[in-house]
Amino acid sequence: DVQLVESGGGLVQPGRSLRLSCTTSGFTFGDYAVSWVRQAPGKGLEWVSFIRSKGYSGTAEYAASVKGRFTISRDDSKSIAYLQMDSLKTEDTAMYYCIRNIRVHGYYYKDVWGKGTAVTVSS
Amino acid sequence: DIQMTQSPSSLSASVGDTVIITCRASQGISNYLAWFQQKPGKAPKSLIYAASSLQSGVPSKFSGSGSGTEFTLTITNLQPEDFATYYCQHYNSFPLTFGPGTIVDFK
């Protein structure tokens, strides 16, 4: 079974940092791209970040709202993706989901989602 | 950035109904459009990619169509487990954007 399990969420003060992990199993992690999507309480879905597989450069993309503050990375030896979140703001409060992405003809669509990890930024 | 809109924002339906949700992109995205279902307190679930291709395990009561800027998600024979919020999302280019969602609730 393909599984993605997020962890690392919690309560953090504004301006501090947090690192989320996405631990995967059931597939060859290194062959896939990974996304992070968040959902603020009572709101819709917001794409946050994306990282390609190393076979397709391993480069990353970011939403404007997090660029320069968040860093996505991957450890293919451990089948884990990370989201390093620095300079956190209250508006970063959300459930964060990790998603596997499928590449077709250079475009990526999402298939399997994790259950999410909650991040609360508050003093 | 490409903006995504959905209509209606909510709809009320009965068991057995057919519902149609529309998603529009602010510019052409070919068929790089996905649909997701989310139930309260749960993670989203992928339903459709490439505008009309069903994800593995998704029943054929769900269908998608469209290309360019206008897309639809059709759900036939609505069942209690189908009452949820549905989101579209383009993946034509970065940044990726989601529609605001359509709530399908019980009439």
Side-chain angles (χ1 to χ4, degrees), chain A residues 4 22 24 27 29-37 47-63 70-76 79-84 98-103 108-110, chain B residues 94 96:
Chain A
L4 299 92
C22 172
T24 72
F27 64 102
F29 177 76
D31 290 346
Y32 291 84
V34 173
S35 290
W36 288 92
V37 167
W47 170 73
V48 173
S49 186
F50 168 89
I51 187 165
R52 296 171 181 82
S53 66
K54 294 237 171 43
Y56 289 101
S57 78
T59 49
E61 308 285 347
Y62 298 94
F70 289 12
T71 304
I72 191 172
S73 62
R74 59 189 302 148
D75 185 336
D76 291 354
S79 299
I80 299 177
Y82 300 100
L83 186 67
Q84 176 68 39
C98 171
I99 312 106
R100 188 178 77 164
N101 285 245
I102 306 289
R103 183 180 189 276
Y108 295 87
Y109 67 88
K110 298 171 176 56
Chain B
F94 291 98
L96 310 179

Side-chain angles (χ1 to χ4, degrees), chain B residues 9-10 17 29 40-42 45-48 54 57 59-60 63 65 78 80 92 96-97 103 106:
Chain B
S9 56
S10 66
D17 283 354
I29 58 170
K42 300 293 187 183
K45 174 186 174 184
S46 299
L47 295 178
I48 286 172
L54 255 56
S60 58
S63 63
S65 66
L78 207 65
N92 180 76
L96 310 179
T97 47
I103 301 170
F106 187 70

Side-chain angles (χ1 to χ4, degrees), chain A residues 35 37 39 43-47 50 52 61-63 97 104-105 107-116, chain B residues 1 32 34 36 38 41-46 49-50 55 87 89 91-100:
Chain A
S35 290
V37 167
Q39 186 170 37
K43 302 296 184 184
L45 301 172
E46 179 188 15
W47 170 73
F50 168 89
R52 296 171 181 82
E61 308 285 347
Y62 298 94
Y97 298 102
V104 176
H105 304 308
Y107 292 83
Y108 295 87
Y109 67 88
K110 298 171 176 56
D111 68 342
V112 181
W113 294 62
K115 293 186 184 331
Chain B
D1 298 0
Y32 300 116
F36 305 94
Q38 188 178 34
K42 300 293 187 183
K45 174 186 174 184
S46 299
Y49 65 97
Q55 291 271 2
Y87 295 93
Q89 180 233 313
Y91 54 97
N92 180 76
S93 58
F94 291 98
L96 310 179
T97 47
F98 288 88

Side-chain angles (χ1 to χ4, degrees), chain B residues 1-102:
Chain B
D1 298 0
I2 298 171
Q3 308 303 318
M4 306 300 292
T5 58
Q6 288 181 234
S7 59
S9 56
S10 66
L11 66 92
S12 297
S14 300
V15 172
D17 283 354
T18 294
V19 300
I20 299 174
I21 299 168
T22 299
C23 174
R24 290 185 175 87
S26 60
Q27 64 190 72
I29 58 170
S30 185
N31 69 334
Y32 300 116
L33 191 282
W35 289 97
F36 305 94
Q37 175 194 63
Q38 188 178 34
K39 297 179 183 179
K42 300 293 187 183
K45 174 186 174 184
S46 299
L47 295 178
I48 286 172
Y49 65 97
S52 61
S53 297
L54 255 56
Q55 291 271 2
S56 174
V58 174
S60 58
K61 62 187 307 180
F62 293 94
S63 63
S65 66
S67 183
T69 61
E70 188 154 331
F71 304 85
T72 59
L73 173 69
T74 300
I75 312 169
T76 59
N77 188 22
L78 207 65
Q79 294 299 304
E81 60 269 23
D82 302 326
F83 291 94
T85 300
Y86 292 86
Y87 295 93
C88 62
Q89 180 233 313
H90 86 82
Y91 54 97
N92 180 76
S93 58
F94 291 98
L96 310 179
T97 47
F98 288 88
T102 294

